[in-house]
Amino acid sequence: GAVVSQHPSWVICKSGTSVKIECRSLDFQATTMFWYRQFPKQSLMLMATSNEGSKATYEQGVEKDKFLINHASLTLSTLTVTSAHPEDSSFYICSASPLGRGIYEQYFGPGTRLTVT
Amino acid sequence: AQTVTQSQPEMSVQEAETVTLSCTYDTSESDYYLFWYKQPPSRQMILVIRQEAYKQQNATENRFSVNFQKAAKSFSLKISDSQLGDAAMYFCAYRSAGEGSGSRLTFGEGTQLTVNP
């Protein structure tokens, strides 16, 4: 149990276009989902926290108009990179926290590699 | 704000030997959780072990064990009988216990573990 999927696993897009990444909890409901960005050989950097039905909370320095997050249901959150540029190329990882108090784990998706040309 | 520090960017160990990865953290909270995650080349984050701060007993999962020193704010990971499959980036992470499913993970910088045959 506790599987999180991401789609696509790998995407190439042209500079100036937008790309959407989906994060789904397959066998549990998640009130909260997290989006991370990871550069090679570096740690995970939290970009934003999304809660179902409400606006995402962005970390300082993360452009909310560039990285649009929608948490439409208890099993789906999406990250849209708008007007992508080569510097947005990175590995994006989502995680989800199961619904209910006392559950302290986050379950991670397999990540999405974004390359902007 | 909480911080997590891993002072060993790289470590190596011979197959079948034991290795210890270090982690220290800073917090003013008394109730929290600590985790070790493994990220192999596939980049899928895998939970290795977790420790609740209120528990004095050190957590153990098969070949993996921790040395949790709450007063010293230290949380090291010991890997016994190292296997080639243990080669990965290891991240130490902190999570507050007070915010339920909305509580973020704070990661250390990571330690790249190499296992030599």
Side-chain angles (χ1 to χ4, degrees):
Chain A
V3 177
V4 176
S5 70
Q6 277 185 247
H7 179 80
S9 57
W10 178 65
V11 59
I12 300 176
C13 70
K14 292 188 175 181
S15 187
T17 63
S18 296
V19 61
K20 181 185 287 187
I21 302 170
E22 291 186 350
C23 176
R24 292 182 185 273
S25 55
L26 298 184
D27 49 5
F28 66 96
Q29 293 182 322
T31 14
T32 306
M33 289 185 171
F34 303 85
W35 287 95
Y36 298 88
R37 185 173 181 178
Q38 186 181 34
F39 292 106
K41 297 191 182 299
Q42 293 189 22
S43 189
L44 281 70
M45 180 190 77
L46 180 65
M47 299 175 66
T49 302
S50 77
N51 292 288
E52 186 264 339
S54 62
K55 289 184 178 180
T57 302
Y58 291 82
E59 295 298 300
Q60 191 173 6
V62 177
E63 299 175 60
K64 61 181 66 177
D65 293 332
K66 180 168 191 60
F67 298 100
L68 301 178
I69 292 172
N70 187 330
H71 194 153
S73 74
L74 287 173
T75 59
L76 173 64
S77 178
T78 59
L79 168 67
T80 301
V81 183
T82 62
S83 186
H85 288 94
E87 57 265 31
D88 299 323
S89 298
S90 190
F91 193 69
Y92 293 88
I93 304 174
C94 73
S95 69
S97 283
L99 181 65
R101 286 193 166 276
I103 306 297
Y104 45 78
E105 287 190 32
Q106 286 186 25
Y107 300 98
F108 287 84
T112 296
R113 184 181 304 280
L114 170 64
T115 301
V116 185
T117 61
Chain B
Q2 297 81 25
T3 59
V4 178
T5 301
Q6 293 178 247
S7 58
Q8 306 154 315
E10 298 177 345
M11 291 283 285
S12 63
V13 63
Q14 290 296 127
E15 195 175 3
E17 298 293 309
T18 296
V19 65
T20 298
L21 308 184
S22 300
C23 173
T24 57
Y25 59 95
D26 189 25
T27 183
S28 59
E29 299 176 334
S30 59
D31 196 12
Y32 49 86
Y33 304 105
L34 296 166
F35 305 87
W36 278 98
Y37 283 92
K38 168 185 177 180
Q39 189 180 43
S42 68
R43 303 189 80 171
Q44 171 72 60
M45 295 289 283
I46 301 167
L47 177 64
V48 175
I49 199 165
R50 61 175 174 263
Q51 174 80 43
E52 293 91 338
Y54 64 87
K55 290 186 177 179
Q56 292 187 337
Q57 186 173 8
N58 289 322
T60 300
E61 289 287 342
N62 301 313
R63 298 183 294 108
F64 299 87
S65 61
V66 298
N67 184 1
F68 172 48
Q69 301 290 327
K70 191 172 184 179
K73 296 180 182 175
S74 170
F75 183 61
S76 61
L77 174 70
K78 185 171 82 170
I79 305 174
S80 304
D81 185 26
S82 297
Q83 300 176 359
L84 295 177
D86 295 333
M89 179 75 91
Y90 286 81
F91 292 101
C92 178
Y94 172 104
R95 187 176 191 185
S96 172
E99 299 173 29
S101 62
S103 183
R104 67 182 63 188
L105 282 169
T106 300
F107 287 94
E109 304 90 337
T111 297
Q112 181 68 52
L113 178 66
T114 301
V115 180
N116 301 308

